[in-house]
Amino acid sequence: MFQSIGIPGLILILVISLIIFGPKKLPEIGRAFGRTLTEFKSATKGLVNDEDKDQGENPELTNVEKKQDKSTVS
């Protein structure tokens, strides 16, 4: 996707963003973007870990079979 941008394109994007947001707002926007990425990464890691735990209990059952298994037990 970003393979054809190159260094001149990145410099142009940086200059345009400095003109639009100004030098004082740009670091704040960068920090907010970084925090958002960090939260997203930790949330997806938590989802993957939860899924691994569920599969660890009975790995040979699929999700449909797990639902059927829970309904027969209850």
Side-chain angles (χ1 to χ4, degrees), residues 35-47:
R35 286 187 204 124
T36 303
L37 286 178
T38 304
E39 288 180 25
F40 179 75
K41 184 177 178 182
S42 65
T44 56
K45 188 180 287 187
L47 289 174

Side-chain angles (χ1 to χ4, degrees), residues 6-74:
I7 299 295
L10 291 175
I11 292 172
L12 182 64
I13 291 171
L14 179 64
V15 169
I16 291 172
S17 62
L18 278 172
I19 292 170
I20 292 173
F21 297 112
K24 291 184 180 181
K25 274 287 195 196
L26 208 56
E28 295 174 19
I29 293 171
R31 271 188 234 108
F33 184 69
R35 286 187 204 124
T36 303
L37 286 178
T38 304
E39 288 180 25
F40 179 75
K41 184 177 178 182
S42 65
T44 56
K45 188 180 287 187
L47 289 174
V48 169
N49 288 341
D50 289 344
E51 188 176 300
D52 289 343
K53 287 179 186 177
D54 290 343
Q55 289 178 356
E57 294 172 358
N58 209 345
E60 66 275 356
L61 295 180
T62 62
N63 287 335
V64 174
E65 292 171 334
K66 286 180 187 178
K67 288 179 184 177
Q68 290 173 350
D69 187 37
K70 287 180 183 178
S71 64
T72 58
V73 172
S74 300

Side-chain angles (χ1 to χ4, degrees), residues 1-6 9-10 13:
M1 181 176 169
F2 295 110
Q3 296 171 353
S4 63
I5 290 178
L10 291 175
I13 291 171

